[in-house]
Every structure is written in structure tokens, then in C-alpha cells.
Amino acid sequence: MENVSYIGLSQQLALQQQIEVTANNIANMSTPGFKTQGILFLDFMTKPKDGETINQAFDFATYRNLSTGSQLPTHNPLDVAISGEGYFAIQTADGVRYTRDGSFALNAERQVVTAQGNAVLDEGGSPITIPLEDSNITISSDGVISGKTGDLGRLKLVNFANQQMMKKEGDNLYGAGGQAETPVEDRRVAQGLLESSNVNPVVEMNRMIELMRLFQATQKMLDNDHDRIRGSIQKLTNVG
């Protein structure tokens, strides 16, 4: 395989990864608490036998833009938005997971749960239950849930030393990535609001268009090189 093919295929693989990540950003621009993702690339040099040195790239890792999204009113008393750092702790079938998506509701057992039915945990690591007789639920700025009968629990808010190490899972959840939880000292939440995603749809759509054009240009380069090689072979065959 010639150098043009090595470089072209390397470029297409890198572009394909960027297209997939950008498409995922666009698909989640309305997902509460979603963080825009990007890809880190590394350049490396290869030198085929008896050939010239080739500069290629490969995707090294994904990263998240951790900037806070805007807060949008929902008027749902169980919706909660985090201001600043922190994640809600959620009990799932696979263990405790973490999210910034505070769109909560009550299940049949009157536990506070996520949209997928996973229990939201309090500071003691237990599900939060709202008694049937309780109404006019309030959530203070430091995460204390209260009703007619008094305080019902305090939302568990945690953070991690390196948020980029957290492992993205389904349903807008993250694993700790082997890190220990640290409690959020400056706890700030807002009731009846949701943090929007920090995806900028205009930026992401423009990036998608640019990536598609680059992909098509690379494919055209490969096609032209293929035609050149095929033409050379045909000429040599005719001479023979």
C-alpha cells in the first residue's frame, strides 16, 4: 500500500470517530445535564520498509466539556438543577452511578427516582421516600427535601478528583472510573429547574458539515490515487 493510501485511510478513520462523537452531541442537545464530548488525537510516525516516513493520527481518548449548562424552569417540584460542581448519586442494578440529570419523579413505592426508575440516594446511601400524606414538597438550596411531616432526606451530592476519568454509561449515567467519591462542600441546587445540556447546536452542526466535507475530500483523494495506479498498471500491461 502506498503512502497516499496509508495517510488517507488514517484520516478517514479519525474523521469517522469525530463524526460519530459530533452526531452524539447533536442527538443529546436536549438531554438535561449532558456535556459536549470531543476526541483527543495523537500523531505518530511510521516508516514502511524502503518507504518514506508517514505522519498518521489515531483517536487517543474522548473528553467532556464540563462547563455548566443553563438552568431552565420546569415547575416540577421534584426537578433539581445543580449549580456548580457535583453529581447526584443513583442506585442502579449495576451499583451506584452518577448523573447531573435532575429530572426526578416518584415511583409506585413513592421513592424519588430518575426517568429510568433508578432510586435517587440520600447522604446515607439510601433511597428517598416521600410519605403518602406529604404534599408541598420543598427542596432547599443545600439539597434537603422536606414535606408536611418534616425533613425527608438530603440529596447526596458528590464529586471526583478527575471528572474526565469517569466512565460514560447509558441513560446519562457515569461510573466513577475507579475513583473515590468526595462530598461537595459548597452544595447549591435549585428546585423546579433542570440544567440543560451545554451543547451549542450551531457549532456542532457546522462541525458536522466540515467533517463531512473533509471525509468526502479524502475519499476523492483516495479515488484519484486508485485511478492513477490502475492507469499505470494498464499502461505497463499494454507496453508488455
Side-chain angles (χ1 to χ4, degrees):
M1 186 180 292
E2 292 198 352
N3 290 356
V4 172
S5 298
Y6 279 115
I7 296 170
L9 290 175
S10 171
Q11 173 80 344
Q12 282 192 321
L13 288 172
L15 289 170
Q16 181 64 37
Q17 292 295 322
Q18 292 181 80
I19 289 170
E20 291 177 0
V21 169
T22 303
N24 185 61
N25 289 339
I26 294 171
N28 285 282
M29 62 184 179
S30 298
T31 301
F34 180 83
K35 303 302 181 186
T36 305
Q37 292 182 299
I39 297 183
L40 297 174
F41 288 93
L42 287 180
D43 287 335
F44 67 98
M45 310 294 287
T46 59
K47 187 173 183 179
K49 185 178 180 180
D50 300 326
E52 297 179 356
T53 300
I54 303 172
N55 189 327
Q56 295 176 278
F58 71 96
D59 54 304
F60 174 66
T62 58
Y63 68 92
R64 291 185 294 147
N65 174 357
L66 298 175
S67 63
T68 304
S70 58
Q71 295 185 352
L72 304 177
T74 66
H75 308 296
N76 177 1
L78 289 179
D79 283 345
V80 188
I82 300 173
S83 298
E85 298 289 328
Y87 294 84
F88 300 109
I90 309 298
Q91 184 65 56
T92 74
D94 299 318
V96 179
R97 297 294 184 266
Y98 307 92
T99 187
R100 286 184 65 92
D101 182 355
S103 50
F104 302 145
L106 294 180
N107 64 9
E109 289 75 38
R110 297 190 63 80
Q111 291 180 338
V112 180
V113 296
T114 65
Q116 292 74 34
N118 296 312
V120 180
L121 301 181
D122 64 13
E123 284 188 310
S126 300
I128 301 171
T129 302
I130 307 297
L132 184 61
E133 63 271 19
D134 267 311
S135 59
N136 298 324
I137 297 299
T138 61
I139 303 175
S140 66
S141 60
D142 63 349
V144 176
I145 301 177
S146 304
K148 290 173 60 178
T149 58
D151 292 348
L152 304 172
R154 191 186 191 200
L155 292 167
K156 184 176 183 178
L157 287 181
V158 299
N159 207 357
F160 298 91
N162 187 348
Q163 296 180 53
Q164 298 294 350
M165 287 180 60
M166 298 175 71
K167 302 298 183 182
K168 181 175 173 57
E169 301 184 9
D171 298 328
N172 210 11
L173 297 173
Y174 293 88
Q179 303 178 87
E181 300 175 353
T182 57
V184 176
E185 299 298 335
D186 183 18
R187 301 165 57 92
R188 291 176 293 149
V189 300
Q191 181 181 17
L193 300 172
L194 282 180
E195 179 189 358
S196 66
S197 75
N198 64 3
V199 175
N200 185 323
V202 175
V203 170
E204 297 300 319
M205 289 301 298
N206 285 338
R207 180 177 292 121
M208 178 64 80
I209 293 171
E210 179 183 358
L211 291 171
M212 292 301 297
R213 287 175 176 169
L214 287 172
F215 191 92
Q216 292 167 356
T218 304
Q219 185 60 53
K220 184 176 181 180
M221 179 189 72
L222 290 172
D223 290 341
N224 289 340
D225 190 60
H226 177 72
D227 292 340
R228 178 186 63 81
I229 295 173
R230 183 173 57 183
S232 300
I233 293 174
Q234 289 176 344
K235 289 179 181 178
L236 290 173
T237 302
N238 292 336
V239 170

